[in-house]
Amino acid sequence: MSLLRRIEKSSQSGGTGGKGPGSESGGPTDEQSRLAAQLRVRQRPAPTGVAAARESYMDIKTRVQNKLLAELDPSMDMTRQAEIHATMEELFQTILAEENIVLSRAERQRLFDQIKAEILGLGPLEPLLADETITEIMVNGPKNIYVEREGKIYHTNQTFENEEHVLRILERIVAPLGRRIDESQPYVDARLMDGSRVNAVIRPISLIGPTITIRKFAKQPLTVDDLIRFGTVTQQIIDFLRACVIARLNIIVSGGTGSGKTTLLNVLSGFIPNDERIITIENAAELQLRQEHVVTLESRPPNIEGKGEITIRDLVVNSLRMRPDRIIVGECRAGEALDMLQAMNTGHDGSLTTLHSNSPRDTLARLEVMCLMAGMDLPVRAIREQIASAVNLICHEERLRDGSRKIVKITEIQGMEGDVIVMSDIFEFEQTGIEAGKIIGRIRPTGLRPKFIDRIEAVGIHLPPSVFGVGQRY
């Protein structure tokens, strides 16, 4: 029997069977408890192999990083990135020499990149943000980071040290925007300096620890040619949508999460003529409009006292006083939908927005619910009449099973018949098969010409009947 086991057995039986010194109930003595604790520590197996190497590496990283932070001049101009990088690298080499830390060239570069990311960037997220093949980053607690590539989700080997490490990086994201995340406000929408959209949730709402979702901002916005190359749209569809935007039709881009709504909205916004004044309204600014006359508005959450909130609805109402030619709302989620419909019905034609839904018909149902969320006691028929007269076109996107994103329906809102909004599909996606895991198909015209074709022709655009499949058989 080991010494530790004998001490524990003696402790459980009260020493020699009677009351030991310093123990009135026959329990273990202070000396026995202390000795047992010491032996447990001694007998705990030391880390070996990969665990030992990682522990040693983390120790070196922490030591060098703390020393580098102490040596850096806090008054340095943080905008002069090249100068800061050179200073950090010089100090880094000096510290390694002073500490007698011997590393290979690859290990040295890896250590420096990680420390630089911790001090100036977003730690383990930096290499993922730099990878242009990644479109989304998902942090599920400190040890699980996933990414999306080409519509598929993959687990990465990047990790944070602990929850406190995640919270430090998160604070670095939200603080410059004047936003906060804490126990009283455990979730936040924000954006990175490059425009990438960020959503974060922490305890007690997230039971697995801090959760961060980053929708990466394309350094080079996707163009019409990109969407055609990806198979999201066809040239025929682009010609039709360009005509609709120029003719100032009111368009809703609908679809599920990650289906490409904002990307398509960005492309459609590019068709707006340069001589028009555009007001964009978003929770976190994502749109990348190239026109000269663009005013970008962003909502604001309440402060720590619960005051100062500015909602999307507030901004939609205010935008009507800003002499807009076009109003673009990044996403309708609640009562602002009613104000958006009012704007569309009061001379602000050509407005664009996005909305989460499963189909064009669901888009109308969601619009009705969101209008009711505005708090106005309106009959459903009145809301439907507003929708039918305001919205001209719904462009619905989906992310298919193979990860590809496609426009699957383009639907015209024709008006009301009784209490029902009448819709007709102008284009729809037809799947023809699956090859090597990829969905094969095409978006084809249904053979119906839209009723608003006169508005398109009034601006001097003449689309041939073949665009709509008139006279063709499928």
Side-chain angles (χ1 to χ4, degrees):
M1 185 182 294
S2 69
L3 178 59
L4 174 59
R5 182 64 189 140
R6 286 204 304 272
I7 291 172
E8 287 179 334
K9 186 173 180 64
S10 174
S11 299
Q12 290 164 4
S13 61
T16 59
K19 296 181 181 180
S23 175
E24 297 181 0
S25 59
T29 66
D30 292 342
E31 182 62 22
Q32 287 172 334
S33 298
R34 183 183 65 77
L35 185 56
Q38 286 179 348
L39 283 167
R40 284 194 194 95
V41 172
R42 288 177 193 163
Q43 292 189 1
R44 186 180 301 149
T48 59
V50 176
R54 176 161 181 79
E55 187 173 297
S56 176
Y57 180 82
M58 292 305 298
D59 180 58
I60 291 173
K61 176 176 175 289
T62 303
R63 198 164 75 246
V64 174
Q65 181 176 312
N66 290 341
K67 198 160 187 179
L68 185 56
L69 278 169
E71 295 285 342
L72 276 175
D73 182 0
S75 63
M76 289 179 69
D77 184 357
M78 299 304 288
T79 61
R80 302 170 71 171
Q81 291 290 318
E83 183 179 323
I84 292 173
H85 183 279
T87 303
M88 285 182 61
E89 190 159 19
E90 184 180 341
L91 286 171
F92 174 75
Q93 302 293 357
T94 303
I95 291 168
L96 289 187
E98 290 175 352
E99 295 279 327
N100 293 321
I101 298 173
V102 180
L103 298 171
S104 68
R105 181 179 296 180
E107 289 171 335
R108 189 177 292 234
Q109 186 61 47
R110 175 186 167 214
L111 181 61
F112 177 71
D113 289 342
Q114 288 186 347
I115 290 175
K116 187 179 73 169
E118 287 294 333
I119 295 174
L120 300 178
L122 300 179
L125 300 181
E126 281 296 321
L128 305 179
L129 291 167
D131 187 340
E132 294 186 3
T133 65
I134 293 173
T135 54
E136 197 125 13
I137 302 169
M138 293 148 278
V139 178
N140 298 351
K143 301 303 180 183
N144 289 303
I145 302 180
Y146 295 83
V147 297
E148 181 190 75
R149 285 188 179 94
E150 298 180 350
K152 298 288 186 180
I153 294 178
Y154 303 93
H155 189 268
T156 74
N157 57 6
Q158 296 288 338
T159 61
F160 289 88
E161 294 171 19
N162 46 43
E163 289 193 15
E164 288 71 23
H165 188 191
V166 187
L167 292 172
R168 279 202 312 274
I169 297 300
L170 190 50
E171 184 64 25
R172 192 173 295 173
I173 294 172
V174 302
L177 302 175
R179 304 196 177 192
R180 64 188 177 87
I181 184 165
D182 50 39
E183 194 170 315
S184 63
Q185 179 68 43
Y187 57 90
V188 69
D189 285 318
R191 55 183 164 79
L192 302 181
M193 295 299 290
D194 68 354
S196 297
R197 186 175 69 195
V198 181
N199 174 267
V201 185
I202 64 171
R203 295 182 189 275
I205 302 300
S206 171
L207 302 184
I208 63 171
T211 302
I212 305 173
T213 309
I214 301 175
R215 175 73 56 81
K216 281 183 62 180
F217 191 78
K219 291 179 174 60
Q220 294 296 325
L222 293 178
T223 63
V224 168
D225 293 336
D226 291 326
L227 295 188
I228 292 173
R229 189 174 72 255
F230 297 154
T232 301
V233 294
T234 62
Q235 185 62 56
Q236 185 182 49
I237 297 298
I238 286 296
D239 293 340
F240 171 71
L241 292 176
R242 181 186 286 110
C244 291
V245 172
I246 295 173
R248 301 181 68 87
L249 298 179
N250 294 318
I251 302 173
I252 295 177
V253 179
S254 63
T257 300
S259 59
K261 298 185 297 299
T262 303
T263 299
L264 181 59
L265 182 64
N266 213 43
V267 168
L268 294 181
S269 302
F271 300 145
I272 298 174
N274 274 321
D275 59 351
E276 296 189 21
R277 176 174 168 85
I278 306 169
I279 310 290
T280 70
I281 300 169
E282 301 173 84
N283 268 323
E286 284 185 275
L287 294 174
Q288 300 167 279
L289 273 66
R290 298 303 184 193
Q291 290 88 339
E292 294 180 5
H293 200 162
V294 179
V295 178
T296 302
L297 304 180
E298 190 175 66
S299 64
R300 186 178 72 186
N303 61 20
I304 197 165
E305 289 88 20
K307 299 178 182 178
E309 180 181 18
I310 298 175
T311 65
I312 293 287
R313 187 176 186 187
D314 296 330
L315 294 177
V316 171
V317 172
N318 187 76
S319 71
L320 301 178
R321 307 187 187 101
M322 298 174 67
R323 200 258 174 226
D325 287 313
R326 308 267 186 157
I327 299 172
I328 302 176
V329 177
E331 183 183 342
C332 278
R333 298 180 180 177
E336 65 269 7
L338 180 59
D339 299 289
M340 188 72 182
L341 292 176
Q342 297 277 52
M344 290 175 174
N345 273 324
T346 52
H348 297 90
D349 293 333
S351 296
L352 305 168
T353 189
T354 71
L355 188 150
H356 282 82
S357 71
N358 295 323
S359 68
R361 177 61 69 179
D362 284 347
T363 300
L364 299 186
R366 283 215 65 211
L367 268 177
E368 289 180 28
V369 172
M370 288 189 288
C371 288
L372 292 171
M373 291 169 68
M376 306 288 287
D377 189 16
L378 295 172
V380 172
R381 181 179 173 83
I383 294 174
R384 289 179 181 173
E385 286 175 347
Q386 285 284 314
I387 294 171
S389 60
V391 181
N392 302 115
L393 197 69
I394 296 174
C395 192
H396 189 75
E397 278 196 285
E398 285 184 10
R399 182 170 58 177
L400 304 182
R401 291 188 304 277
D402 62 355
S404 62
R405 297 168 172 87
K406 296 186 186 295
I407 295 177
V408 294
K409 279 196 178 182
I410 296 179
T411 304
E412 179 189 17
I413 308 301
Q414 295 186 330
M416 292 278 292
E417 279 189 9
D419 290 335
V420 179
I421 298 175
V422 179
M423 311 168 69
S424 65
D425 295 332
I426 309 300
F427 298 92
E428 63 183 1
F429 180 76
E430 181 180 59
Q431 180 176 332
T432 56
I434 298 178
E435 291 181 9
K438 291 288 184 181
I439 293 176
I440 307 300
R442 60 178 182 139
I443 183 165
R444 64 174 185 82
T446 61
L448 298 174
R449 283 165 57 99
K451 288 188 174 181
F452 53 67
I453 193 69
D454 293 341
R455 289 181 60 177
I456 293 176
E457 293 177 348
V459 296
I461 300 174
H462 300 281
L463 298 172
S466 60
V467 169
F468 307 106
V470 176
Q472 300 181 28
R473 296 182 65 183
Y474 290 92

